[in-house]
Amino acid sequence: MAHRVIWGGHYEAVQRRSVDDFIDLLREFEMKKRKVCSDSQDPIVFKLSLSLLDCHKESGDENIATRIARMNLSEHIKIKKDKLHVSADIVRSWFKEPIDNTVSHIMSILSEPAMKDVGTVLLVGGFGDCQLAQEAIRKAVGSRTVLIPAEAGIAVLQGAVQFGHQPSLVTSRCMKYTYGFAIVSAFKFSKHPLERMRVDSYGDLAIDNIFVSIVEKGMSVEMGKEIKKEKFYLRSKGRDSLDIFESTEQNPQYTTDPSCRLVGTMDLGYAPGETMEENRVNIYFTFGDTELKASVEILKTGEVLTKVIDCL
């Protein structure tokens, strides 16, 4: 609604005419959104730039006052010289959808089992300065404490700069995805679909693309801590690789599931032996700040292969 009333199709024209006026108007909305709250009664006043008013006049289109009347908003929005007076109810309506979506997302996260002991919610970012958002979030999270730092709008930037200088500040992170790798497993008639059955390079009935989890979505993972996976073997007696996947699901069954995405492949070269026992490997994973280091130890030769995968 705000876009239709104020810009009236002249969004790009104002940008071309005066970047300063354009930025000032956006900043005006940014500042005013922080002041309106659920019990506000007084209209919210926005200063309109001369560039915007000139664009309306020169285009020959209806002016802002006429547009307001045509939209049946004359009782709620009034224009006085270069000021737009908007009722608090109208301004609150602009924020309803984004606030509802934000609250829904927060509550979805807090409902996860890993979040059951969370007692404090930290509210940062530009929207964190909006009193309407603060009120809605406080109401939704109930007895949990909501912390809002001074200048919440730049808290994320400040945190990023501080983290850049002191990476050790973050000791663990909650995983956004489930990470795992693909293996060939022994085929089980009671468990696996027949159409997936095949004979592997060792001559046994097998099934491809089984997803083996390293960490699950929502799990808290300590940065730099090594995760070891034992008792696996190279999938082929020929040339092999380790394929690493991420998934939006908690417990994917196959790496071919729609939720899975290949994030990296490590070339393991040729298998050193002819049997599974001769081709046993240990696999190690270490999560960093934005990356995953995978290492494969080939037990027969003692060789260790390593690859770093960017998880951004």
Side-chain angles (χ1 to χ4, degrees), residues 95-106 127 136:
F95 298 106
K96 186 180 187 310
E97 183 177 354
I99 288 175
D100 287 349
N101 290 340
T102 300
V103 169
S104 176
H105 182 61
I106 291 173
F127 215 23

Side-chain angles (χ1 to χ4, degrees), residues 148-171:
I148 306 167
E151 298 184 314
I154 61 171
V156 176
L157 174 61
Q158 291 173 328
V161 172
Q162 193 170 4
F163 175 68
H165 287 284
Q166 296 177 278
S168 60
L169 287 174
V170 178
T171 59

